[in-house]
Amino acid sequence: MIIVMNSTATEGQIADIVERLSRDGVRVQRLDAERVALAATGARPDDALEAMPGVAAVLPDAGATPMVATPQRDHAGRTDPGDMARTDGAGSGHGDRESTAGFQVGEHRIGGGTFFCAAGPCSVEDPDTMHRIAGAVAAAGAVALRAGAYKPRSSPYSFQGMGEDGLAVAHAAAEAHGLLLVSEVLDATQIPIAARYVDILQVGARNMFNTTLLRELGRTHRPVLLKRGLAATIDEWLSAAEYIVSAGNPRVILCERGIRTFETATRNTLDLGALPVVRQRSHLPVLVDPSHAAGKRAYVRSMSRAAVAAGADGLLIEVHVDPDAATSDAAQTITPHALGRILQDARAIRNALDALDNGGR
Ligand code: PEP
Ligand code: MN
């Protein structure tokens, strides 16, 4: 059993709970997080424990993810561990696109019914190319520029990214065109550097299980875009988000980017089935990255359409003014013109979904 304390719980309140459980012979372990959690081995949740001052939630097992699921709150403001999923219509069968409250990043809202799009090259390139890409994706309707300065390449001999110089180049290009900047960090030492340039810190698929990095990102004030791991279950993905949120950073954006299966015709298998599951279990906004899922530019448009229809809060797409010349992931990179068509599709599909939802069907 896990007892999650309120962020305002005092040391005295924590000590009272430890003492009460220890009296019953239960072994209590304090878990190291910004929000204190107590693991009580061999104990079962009971009403009296839940009612103790400072307690936010009592969960039957360690796999629970209370911080990424909008909890029901009772009149005392405590969470109800019996139903951590939203009950205000989320997961009730229709579009489910308004089931996230969303949050603000600069002037933009992410989730909460607003459609988000981050687009740009896989890796940061030279300043002129970055400016041209940023201008073109902004004109196509993107609100954020994506570009990796620290690249998690499968081979140590592949281009590893431009590092801090790349962040500065990408920042200048994004700022010149009124775009937010999304960029990946590979380890905790890169967080303070990236935070100087980047609006949204990305955790790549290969790093989703890096709990040290997740905890450190929980201590920053920058929103985090958390890609699903190549072989991560939805539970593991939500637990990774829980690491960030429980360490103090509530602004996490989930991103489905395809998982590894036996299929080789596409780079990964886009798991759109994850969307309604995540919708039901979490209030966090969820994006889809069709580029890394498909691996080939010919499939990006249809995967984008399907993602929007499945209720994605937005898309993350690799775009370049000269896709074949892209430094990395050229095969899956599309033109700004193709991005414009995808974003037109997205508007039409969302309007159609609204009409269906409002038509009482
Ligand atoms: C990326 O977005 O550039 C990237 C490396 O993606 P992923 O971590 O999903 O492979
Ligand atoms: Mn890429």
PDB file of all heavy atoms in Angstrom, residues 269-305:
ATOM      1  N   THR A 269       5.194   0.831 -34.804  1.00  0.00           N
ATOM      2  CA  THR A 269       3.755   0.648 -34.980  1.00  0.00           C
ATOM      3  C   THR A 269       3.048   1.707 -34.156  1.00  0.00           C
ATOM      4  O   THR A 269       3.178   1.735 -32.922  1.00  0.00           O
ATOM      5  CB  THR A 269       3.338  -0.767 -34.529  1.00  0.00           C
ATOM      6  OG1 THR A 269       4.017  -1.724 -35.361  1.00  0.00           O
ATOM      7  CG2 THR A 269       1.836  -0.963 -34.654  1.00  0.00           C
ATOM      8  N   LEU A 270       2.330   2.606 -34.836  1.00  0.00           N
ATOM      9  CA  LEU A 270       1.652   3.690 -34.113  1.00  0.00           C
ATOM     10  C   LEU A 270       0.504   3.091 -33.312  1.00  0.00           C
ATOM     11  O   LEU A 270      -0.414   2.497 -33.889  1.00  0.00           O
ATOM     12  CB  LEU A 270       1.128   4.736 -35.111  1.00  0.00           C
ATOM     13  CG  LEU A 270       0.482   5.969 -34.479  1.00  0.00           C
ATOM     14  CD1 LEU A 270       1.468   6.716 -33.590  1.00  0.00           C
ATOM     15  CD2 LEU A 270      -0.069   6.898 -35.551  1.00  0.00           C
ATOM     16  N   ASP A 271       0.573   3.224 -32.018  1.00  0.00           N
ATOM     17  CA  ASP A 271      -0.451   2.627 -31.156  1.00  0.00           C
ATOM     18  C   ASP A 271      -1.513   3.666 -30.826  1.00  0.00           C
ATOM     19  O   ASP A 271      -1.482   4.282 -29.767  1.00  0.00           O
ATOM     20  CB  ASP A 271       0.197   2.068 -29.879  1.00  0.00           C
ATOM     21  CG  ASP A 271      -0.823   1.406 -28.966  1.00  0.00           C
ATOM     22  OD1 ASP A 271      -1.954   1.136 -29.432  1.00  0.00           O
ATOM     23  OD2 ASP A 271      -0.501   1.178 -27.779  1.00  0.00           O
ATOM     24  N   LEU A 272      -2.450   3.815 -31.738  1.00  0.00           N
ATOM     25  CA  LEU A 272      -3.527   4.784 -31.479  1.00  0.00           C
ATOM     26  C   LEU A 272      -4.511   4.254 -30.454  1.00  0.00           C
ATOM     27  O   LEU A 272      -5.274   5.011 -29.868  1.00  0.00           O
ATOM     28  CB  LEU A 272      -4.243   5.152 -32.776  1.00  0.00           C
ATOM     29  CG  LEU A 272      -3.414   6.017 -33.725  1.00  0.00           C
ATOM     30  CD1 LEU A 272      -4.205   6.333 -34.980  1.00  0.00           C
ATOM     31  CD2 LEU A 272      -2.958   7.301 -33.039  1.00  0.00           C
ATOM     32  N   GLY A 273      -4.453   2.949 -30.230  1.00  0.00           N
ATOM     33  CA  GLY A 273      -5.286   2.373 -29.174  1.00  0.00           C
ATOM     34  C   GLY A 273      -4.921   2.909 -27.808  1.00  0.00           C
ATOM     35  O   GLY A 273      -5.709   2.849 -26.861  1.00  0.00           O
ATOM     36  N   ALA A 274      -3.714   3.455 -27.701  1.00  0.00           N
ATOM     37  CA  ALA A 274      -3.289   4.021 -26.412  1.00  0.00           C
ATOM     38  C   ALA A 274      -4.057   5.301 -26.078  1.00  0.00           C
ATOM     39  O   ALA A 274      -4.185   5.661 -24.915  1.00  0.00           O
ATOM     40  CB  ALA A 274      -1.793   4.328 -26.454  1.00  0.00           C
ATOM     41  N   LEU A 275      -4.558   5.994 -27.102  1.00  0.00           N
ATOM     42  CA  LEU A 275      -5.164   7.305 -26.830  1.00  0.00           C
ATOM     43  C   LEU A 275      -6.402   7.248 -25.923  1.00  0.00           C
ATOM     44  O   LEU A 275      -6.439   7.936 -24.915  1.00  0.00           O
ATOM     45  CB  LEU A 275      -5.457   8.063 -28.136  1.00  0.00           C
ATOM     46  CG  LEU A 275      -4.324   9.036 -28.471  1.00  0.00           C
ATOM     47  CD1 LEU A 275      -3.078   8.322 -28.924  1.00  0.00           C
ATOM     48  CD2 LEU A 275      -4.750  10.069 -29.488  1.00  0.00           C
ATOM     49  N   PRO A 276      -7.406   6.424 -26.273  1.00  0.00           N
ATOM     50  CA  PRO A 276      -8.553   6.376 -25.354  1.00  0.00           C
ATOM     51  C   PRO A 276      -8.184   5.852 -23.970  1.00  0.00           C
ATOM     52  O   PRO A 276      -8.793   6.250 -22.970  1.00  0.00           O
ATOM     53  CB  PRO A 276      -9.553   5.450 -26.061  1.00  0.00           C
ATOM     54  CG  PRO A 276      -8.777   4.741 -27.110  1.00  0.00           C
ATOM     55  CD  PRO A 276      -7.632   5.619 -27.474  1.00  0.00           C
ATOM     56  N   VAL A 277      -7.175   4.984 -23.899  1.00  0.00           N
ATOM     57  CA  VAL A 277      -6.758   4.452 -22.597  1.00  0.00           C
ATOM     58  C   VAL A 277      -6.158   5.573 -21.745  1.00  0.00           C
ATOM     59  O   VAL A 277      -6.530   5.785 -20.587  1.00  0.00           O
ATOM     60  CB  VAL A 277      -5.729   3.305 -22.767  1.00  0.00           C
ATOM     61  CG1 VAL A 277      -5.281   2.775 -21.412  1.00  0.00           C
ATOM     62  CG2 VAL A 277      -6.301   2.191 -23.621  1.00  0.00           C
ATOM     63  N   VAL A 278      -5.245   6.315 -22.357  1.00  0.00           N
ATOM     64  CA  VAL A 278      -4.604   7.412 -21.632  1.00  0.00           C
ATOM     65  C   VAL A 278      -5.637   8.473 -21.261  1.00  0.00           C
ATOM     66  O   VAL A 278      -5.618   9.032 -20.167  1.00  0.00           O
ATOM     67  CB  VAL A 278      -3.469   8.015 -22.486  1.00  0.00           C
ATOM     68  CG1 VAL A 278      -3.000   9.336 -21.929  1.00  0.00           C
ATOM     69  CG2 VAL A 278      -2.309   7.031 -22.570  1.00  0.00           C
ATOM     70  N   ARG A 279      -6.553   8.758 -22.181  1.00  0.00           N
ATOM     71  CA  ARG A 279      -7.637   9.713 -21.930  1.00  0.00           C
ATOM     72  C   ARG A 279      -8.438   9.356 -20.683  1.00  0.00           C
ATOM     73  O   ARG A 279      -8.810  10.200 -19.897  1.00  0.00           O
ATOM     74  CB  ARG A 279      -8.624   9.664 -23.084  1.00  0.00           C
ATOM     75  CG  ARG A 279      -8.377  10.609 -24.125  1.00  0.00           C
ATOM     76  CD  ARG A 279      -8.769  11.984 -23.614  1.00  0.00           C
ATOM     77  NE  ARG A 279      -8.397  12.939 -24.621  1.00  0.00           N
ATOM     78  CZ  ARG A 279      -7.208  13.501 -24.665  1.00  0.00           C
ATOM     79  NH1 ARG A 279      -6.331  13.288 -23.734  1.00  0.00           N
ATOM     80  NH2 ARG A 279      -6.900  14.324 -25.630  1.00  0.00           N
ATOM     81  N   GLN A 280      -8.707   8.048 -20.571  1.00  0.00           N
ATOM     82  CA  GLN A 280      -9.522   7.598 -19.450  1.00  0.00           C
ATOM     83  C   GLN A 280      -8.738   7.647 -18.146  1.00  0.00           C
ATOM     84  O   GLN A 280      -9.292   7.900 -17.094  1.00  0.00           O
ATOM     85  CB  GLN A 280      -9.996   6.167 -19.721  1.00  0.00           C
ATOM     86  CG  GLN A 280     -11.043   5.675 -18.762  1.00  0.00           C
ATOM     87  CD  GLN A 280     -11.482   4.272 -19.118  1.00  0.00           C
ATOM     88  OE1 GLN A 280     -10.642   3.409 -19.382  1.00  0.00           O
ATOM     89  NE2 GLN A 280     -12.767   4.041 -19.132  1.00  0.00           N
ATOM     90  N   ARG A 281      -7.431   7.417 -18.250  1.00  0.00           N
ATOM     91  CA  ARG A 281      -6.651   7.258 -17.023  1.00  0.00           C
ATOM     92  C   ARG A 281      -5.890   8.484 -16.605  1.00  0.00           C
ATOM     93  O   ARG A 281      -5.314   8.516 -15.515  1.00  0.00           O
ATOM     94  CB  ARG A 281      -5.696   6.077 -17.208  1.00  0.00           C
ATOM     95  CG  ARG A 281      -6.506   4.781 -17.344  1.00  0.00           C
ATOM     96  CD  ARG A 281      -5.673   3.557 -17.238  1.00  0.00           C
ATOM     97  NE  ARG A 281      -4.545   3.706 -16.367  1.00  0.00           N
ATOM     98  CZ  ARG A 281      -3.485   2.923 -16.392  1.00  0.00           C
ATOM     99  NH1 ARG A 281      -3.449   1.930 -17.252  1.00  0.00           N
ATOM    100  NH2 ARG A 281      -2.496   3.108 -15.571  1.00  0.00           N
ATOM    101  N   SER A 282      -5.829   9.489 -17.466  1.00  0.00           N
ATOM    102  CA  SER A 282      -5.014  10.654 -17.118  1.00  0.00           C
ATOM    103  C   SER A 282      -5.634  11.937 -17.641  1.00  0.00           C
ATOM    104  O   SER A 282      -6.316  11.938 -18.664  1.00  0.00           O
ATOM    105  CB  SER A 282      -3.611  10.490 -17.706  1.00  0.00           C
ATOM    106  OG  SER A 282      -2.839  11.636 -17.430  1.00  0.00           O
ATOM    107  N   HIS A 283      -5.357  13.016 -16.929  1.00  0.00           N
ATOM    108  CA  HIS A 283      -5.811  14.338 -17.394  1.00  0.00           C
ATOM    109  C   HIS A 283      -4.749  14.991 -18.279  1.00  0.00           C
ATOM    110  O   HIS A 283      -4.971  16.088 -18.786  1.00  0.00           O
ATOM    111  CB  HIS A 283      -6.080  15.236 -16.191  1.00  0.00           C
ATOM    112  CG  HIS A 283      -4.853  15.473 -15.361  1.00  0.00           C
ATOM    113  ND1 HIS A 283      -4.418  14.562 -14.428  1.00  0.00           N
ATOM    114  CD2 HIS A 283      -3.960  16.479 -15.362  1.00  0.00           C
ATOM    115  CE1 HIS A 283      -3.299  15.024 -13.884  1.00  0.00           C
ATOM    116  NE2 HIS A 283      -2.992  16.184 -14.427  1.00  0.00           N
ATOM    117  N   LEU A 284      -3.596  14.356 -18.438  1.00  0.00           N
ATOM    118  CA  LEU A 284      -2.506  14.997 -19.179  1.00  0.00           C
ATOM    119  C   LEU A 284      -2.820  15.056 -20.674  1.00  0.00           C
ATOM    120  O   LEU A 284      -3.384  14.113 -21.226  1.00  0.00           O
ATOM    121  CB  LEU A 284      -1.196  14.229 -18.974  1.00  0.00           C
ATOM    122  CG  LEU A 284      -0.676  14.166 -17.545  1.00  0.00           C
ATOM    123  CD1 LEU A 284       0.577  13.295 -17.480  1.00  0.00           C
ATOM    124  CD2 LEU A 284      -0.381  15.562 -16.991  1.00  0.00           C
ATOM    125  N   PRO A 285      -2.424  16.152 -21.333  1.00  0.00           N
ATOM    126  CA  PRO A 285      -2.606  16.211 -22.783  1.00  0.00           C
ATOM    127  C   PRO A 285      -1.756  15.153 -23.476  1.00  0.00           C
ATOM    128  O   PRO A 285      -0.677  14.802 -22.984  1.00  0.00           O
ATOM    129  CB  PRO A 285      -2.128  17.613 -23.167  1.00  0.00           C
ATOM    130  CG  PRO A 285      -1.585  18.252 -21.961  1.00  0.00           C
ATOM    131  CD  PRO A 285      -1.820  17.367 -20.780  1.00  0.00           C
ATOM    132  N   VAL A 286      -2.240  14.657 -24.605  1.00  0.00           N
ATOM    133  CA  VAL A 286      -1.480  13.626 -25.327  1.00  0.00           C
ATOM    134  C   VAL A 286      -1.372  13.988 -26.807  1.00  0.00           C
ATOM    135  O   VAL A 286      -2.357  14.293 -27.470  1.00  0.00           O
ATOM    136  CB  VAL A 286      -2.051  12.208 -25.083  1.00  0.00           C
ATOM    137  CG1 VAL A 286      -3.521  12.128 -25.367  1.00  0.00           C
ATOM    138  CG2 VAL A 286      -1.304  11.153 -25.894  1.00  0.00           C
ATOM    139  N   LEU A 287      -0.127  14.000 -27.283  1.00  0.00           N
ATOM    140  CA  LEU A 287       0.170  14.288 -28.686  1.00  0.00           C
ATOM    141  C   LEU A 287       0.497  12.988 -29.400  1.00  0.00           C
ATOM    142  O   LEU A 287       0.802  11.983 -28.766  1.00  0.00           O
ATOM    143  CB  LEU A 287       1.405  15.191 -28.811  1.00  0.00           C
ATOM    144  CG  LEU A 287       1.476  16.486 -28.007  1.00  0.00           C
ATOM    145  CD1 LEU A 287       2.758  17.233 -28.367  1.00  0.00           C
ATOM    146  CD2 LEU A 287       0.264  17.361 -28.264  1.00  0.00           C
ATOM    147  N   VAL A 288       0.489  13.068 -30.719  1.00  0.00           N
ATOM    148  CA  VAL A 288       0.949  11.931 -31.517  1.00  0.00           C
ATOM    149  C   VAL A 288       2.064  12.415 -32.445  1.00  0.00           C
ATOM    150  O   VAL A 288       1.974  13.496 -33.032  1.00  0.00           O
ATOM    151  CB  VAL A 288      -0.215  11.306 -32.320  1.00  0.00           C
ATOM    152  CG1 VAL A 288       0.302  10.315 -33.361  1.00  0.00           C
ATOM    153  CG2 VAL A 288      -1.189  10.608 -31.368  1.00  0.00           C
ATOM    154  N   ASP A 289       3.119  11.632 -32.541  1.00  0.00           N
ATOM    155  CA  ASP A 289       4.237  11.875 -33.456  1.00  0.00           C
ATOM    156  C   ASP A 289       4.150  10.824 -34.558  1.00  0.00           C
ATOM    157  O   ASP A 289       4.595   9.687 -34.378  1.00  0.00           O
ATOM    158  CB  ASP A 289       5.544  11.743 -32.663  1.00  0.00           C
ATOM    159  CG  ASP A 289       6.784  11.692 -33.559  1.00  0.00           C
ATOM    160  OD1 ASP A 289       6.661  11.651 -34.796  1.00  0.00           O
ATOM    161  OD2 ASP A 289       7.899  11.660 -32.995  1.00  0.00           O
ATOM    162  N   PRO A 290       3.552  11.169 -35.697  1.00  0.00           N
ATOM    163  CA  PRO A 290       3.405  10.180 -36.765  1.00  0.00           C
ATOM    164  C   PRO A 290       4.724   9.952 -37.499  1.00  0.00           C
ATOM    165  O   PRO A 290       4.883   8.935 -38.178  1.00  0.00           O
ATOM    166  CB  PRO A 290       2.363  10.821 -37.695  1.00  0.00           C
ATOM    167  CG  PRO A 290       2.545  12.296 -37.500  1.00  0.00           C
ATOM    168  CD  PRO A 290       2.991  12.487 -36.073  1.00  0.00           C
ATOM    169  N   SER A 291       5.671  10.880 -37.381  1.00  0.00           N
ATOM    170  CA  SER A 291       6.916  10.798 -38.149  1.00  0.00           C
ATOM    171  C   SER A 291       7.775   9.623 -37.692  1.00  0.00           C
ATOM    172  O   SER A 291       8.173   8.784 -38.500  1.00  0.00           O
ATOM    173  CB  SER A 291       7.708  12.098 -37.997  1.00  0.00           C
ATOM    174  OG  SER A 291       6.900  13.210 -38.303  1.00  0.00           O
ATOM    175  N   HIS A 292       8.063   9.563 -36.362  1.00  0.00           N
ATOM    176  CA  HIS A 292       8.892   8.469 -35.862  1.00  0.00           C
ATOM    177  C   HIS A 292       8.133   7.148 -35.879  1.00  0.00           C
ATOM    178  O   HIS A 292       8.737   6.081 -35.900  1.00  0.00           O
ATOM    179  CB  HIS A 292       9.444   8.799 -34.470  1.00  0.00           C
ATOM    180  CG  HIS A 292      10.466   9.899 -34.520  1.00  0.00           C
ATOM    181  ND1 HIS A 292      10.123  11.224 -34.466  1.00  0.00           N
ATOM    182  CD2 HIS A 292      11.810   9.863 -34.682  1.00  0.00           C
ATOM    183  CE1 HIS A 292      11.212  11.964 -34.587  1.00  0.00           C
ATOM    184  NE2 HIS A 292      12.257  11.176 -34.708  1.00  0.00           N
ATOM    185  N   ALA A 293       6.793   7.221 -35.845  1.00  0.00           N
ATOM    186  CA  ALA A 293       6.000   5.994 -35.925  1.00  0.00           C
ATOM    187  C   ALA A 293       6.098   5.402 -37.331  1.00  0.00           C
ATOM    188  O   ALA A 293       6.396   4.222 -37.504  1.00  0.00           O
ATOM    189  CB  ALA A 293       4.539   6.296 -35.574  1.00  0.00           C
ATOM    190  N   ALA A 294       5.867   6.238 -38.341  1.00  0.00           N
ATOM    191  CA  ALA A 294       5.814   5.739 -39.719  1.00  0.00           C
ATOM    192  C   ALA A 294       7.206   5.467 -40.278  1.00  0.00           C
ATOM    193  O   ALA A 294       7.444   4.442 -40.913  1.00  0.00           O
ATOM    194  CB  ALA A 294       5.089   6.754 -40.596  1.00  0.00           C
ATOM    195  N   GLY A 295       8.100   6.424 -40.079  1.00  0.00           N
ATOM    196  CA  GLY A 295       9.452   6.272 -40.627  1.00  0.00           C
ATOM    197  C   GLY A 295       9.545   6.631 -42.105  1.00  0.00           C
ATOM    198  O   GLY A 295      10.631   6.716 -42.655  1.00  0.00           O
ATOM    199  N   LYS A 296       8.407   6.799 -42.754  1.00  0.00           N
ATOM    200  CA  LYS A 296       8.388   7.154 -44.188  1.00  0.00           C
ATOM    201  C   LYS A 296       7.383   8.272 -44.394  1.00  0.00           C
ATOM    202  O   LYS A 296       6.257   8.200 -43.893  1.00  0.00           O
ATOM    203  CB  LYS A 296       7.990   5.945 -45.031  1.00  0.00           C
ATOM    204  CG  LYS A 296       9.029   4.853 -44.986  1.00  0.00           C
ATOM    205  CD  LYS A 296       8.701   3.720 -45.941  1.00  0.00           C
ATOM    206  CE  LYS A 296       9.734   2.616 -45.784  1.00  0.00           C
ATOM    207  NZ  LYS A 296       9.165   1.303 -45.596  1.00  0.00           N
ATOM    208  N   ARG A 297       7.800   9.278 -45.189  1.00  0.00           N
ATOM    209  CA  ARG A 297       6.945  10.463 -45.289  1.00  0.00           C
ATOM    210  C   ARG A 297       5.592  10.179 -45.924  1.00  0.00           C
ATOM    211  O   ARG A 297       4.611  10.845 -45.627  1.00  0.00           O
ATOM    212  CB  ARG A 297       7.680  11.604 -45.994  1.00  0.00           C
ATOM    213  CG  ARG A 297       7.986  11.402 -47.450  1.00  0.00           C
ATOM    214  CD  ARG A 297       8.648  12.675 -47.996  1.00  0.00           C
ATOM    215  NE  ARG A 297       9.984  12.854 -47.449  1.00  0.00           N
ATOM    216  CZ  ARG A 297      11.122  12.705 -48.159  1.00  0.00           C
ATOM    217  NH1 ARG A 297      11.080  12.405 -49.441  1.00  0.00           N
ATOM    218  NH2 ARG A 297      12.290  12.858 -47.592  1.00  0.00           N
ATOM    219  N   ALA A 298       5.525   9.144 -46.758  1.00  0.00           N
ATOM    220  CA  ALA A 298       4.256   8.845 -47.442  1.00  0.00           C
ATOM    221  C   ALA A 298       3.142   8.467 -46.466  1.00  0.00           C
ATOM    222  O   ALA A 298       1.965   8.538 -46.816  1.00  0.00           O
ATOM    223  CB  ALA A 298       4.468   7.711 -48.439  1.00  0.00           C
ATOM    224  N   TYR A 299       3.510   8.051 -45.268  1.00  0.00           N
ATOM    225  CA  TYR A 299       2.479   7.582 -44.331  1.00  0.00           C
ATOM    226  C   TYR A 299       2.099   8.626 -43.280  1.00  0.00           C
ATOM    227  O   TYR A 299       1.225   8.392 -42.451  1.00  0.00           O
ATOM    228  CB  TYR A 299       2.949   6.316 -43.599  1.00  0.00           C
ATOM    229  CG  TYR A 299       3.486   5.232 -44.518  1.00  0.00           C
ATOM    230  CD1 TYR A 299       4.599   4.483 -44.150  1.00  0.00           C
ATOM    231  CD2 TYR A 299       2.881   4.965 -45.747  1.00  0.00           C
ATOM    232  CE1 TYR A 299       5.098   3.487 -44.983  1.00  0.00           C
ATOM    233  CE2 TYR A 299       3.377   3.978 -46.588  1.00  0.00           C
ATOM    234  CZ  TYR A 299       4.488   3.244 -46.198  1.00  0.00           C
ATOM    235  OH  TYR A 299       4.978   2.276 -47.020  1.00  0.00           O
ATOM    236  N   VAL A 300       2.785   9.749 -43.307  1.00  0.00           N
ATOM    237  CA  VAL A 300       2.602  10.715 -42.207  1.00  0.00           C
ATOM    238  C   VAL A 300       1.205  11.343 -42.229  1.00  0.00           C
ATOM    239  O   VAL A 300       0.579  11.527 -41.185  1.00  0.00           O
ATOM    240  CB  VAL A 300       3.715  11.791 -42.255  1.00  0.00           C
ATOM    241  CG1 VAL A 300       3.432  12.937 -41.294  1.00  0.00           C
ATOM    242  CG2 VAL A 300       5.068  11.145 -41.913  1.00  0.00           C
ATOM    243  N   ARG A 301       0.691  11.645 -43.438  1.00  0.00           N
ATOM    244  CA  ARG A 301      -0.605  12.320 -43.483  1.00  0.00           C
ATOM    245  C   ARG A 301      -1.737  11.441 -42.958  1.00  0.00           C
ATOM    246  O   ARG A 301      -2.569  11.884 -42.155  1.00  0.00           O
ATOM    247  CB  ARG A 301      -0.916  12.780 -44.912  1.00  0.00           C
ATOM    248  CG  ARG A 301      -2.156  13.651 -44.970  1.00  0.00           C
ATOM    249  CD  ARG A 301      -2.404  14.181 -46.369  1.00  0.00           C
ATOM    250  NE  ARG A 301      -3.525  15.103 -46.387  1.00  0.00           N
ATOM    251  CZ  ARG A 301      -4.058  15.594 -47.502  1.00  0.00           C
ATOM    252  NH1 ARG A 301      -3.551  15.251 -48.676  1.00  0.00           N
ATOM    253  NH2 ARG A 301      -5.074  16.427 -47.453  1.00  0.00           N
ATOM    254  N   SER A 302      -1.777  10.186 -43.404  1.00  0.00           N
ATOM    255  CA  SER A 302      -2.894   9.343 -42.948  1.00  0.00           C
ATOM    256  C   SER A 302      -2.796   9.049 -41.450  1.00  0.00           C
ATOM    257  O   SER A 302      -3.812   9.006 -40.751  1.00  0.00           O
ATOM    258  CB  SER A 302      -2.975   8.049 -43.758  1.00  0.00           C
ATOM    259  OG  SER A 302      -1.820   7.280 -43.546  1.00  0.00           O
ATOM    260  N   MET A 303      -1.563   8.880 -40.955  1.00  0.00           N
ATOM    261  CA  MET A 303      -1.406   8.652 -39.511  1.00  0.00           C
ATOM    262  C   MET A 303      -1.821   9.884 -38.706  1.00  0.00           C
ATOM    263  O   MET A 303      -2.360   9.777 -37.611  1.00  0.00           O
ATOM    264  CB  MET A 303       0.056   8.294 -39.184  1.00  0.00           C
ATOM    265  CG  MET A 303       0.507   6.936 -39.687  1.00  0.00           C
ATOM    266  SD  MET A 303      -0.390   5.573 -38.924  1.00  0.00           S
ATOM    267  CE  MET A 303      -1.763   5.385 -40.042  1.00  0.00           C
ATOM    268  N   SER A 304      -1.558  11.064 -39.285  1.00  0.00           N
ATOM    269  CA  SER A 304      -1.960  12.307 -38.608  1.00  0.00           C
ATOM    270  C   SER A 304      -3.476  12.408 -38.547  1.00  0.00           C
ATOM    271  O   SER A 304      -4.054  12.761 -37.517  1.00  0.00           O
ATOM    272  CB  SER A 304      -1.408  13.522 -39.351  1.00  0.00           C
ATOM    273  OG  SER A 304      -0.001  13.469 -39.390  1.00  0.00           O
ATOM    274  N   ARG A 305      -4.114  12.107 -39.679  1.00  0.00           N
ATOM    275  CA  ARG A 305      -5.581  12.148 -39.710  1.00  0.00           C
ATOM    276  C   ARG A 305      -6.165  11.200 -38.665  1.00  0.00           C
ATOM    277  O   ARG A 305      -7.088  11.551 -37.933  1.00  0.00           O
ATOM    278  CB  ARG A 305      -6.086  11.726 -41.083  1.00  0.00           C
ATOM    279  CG  ARG A 305      -5.795  12.731 -42.171  1.00  0.00           C
ATOM    280  CD  ARG A 305      -6.192  12.161 -43.509  1.00  0.00           C
ATOM    281  NE  ARG A 305      -6.382  13.208 -44.505  1.00  0.00           N
ATOM    282  CZ  ARG A 305      -6.860  12.982 -45.719  1.00  0.00           C
ATOM    283  NH1 ARG A 305      -7.163  11.747 -46.105  1.00  0.00           N
ATOM    284  NH2 ARG A 305      -7.028  13.975 -46.557  1.00  0.00           N
TER     285      ARG A 305
END
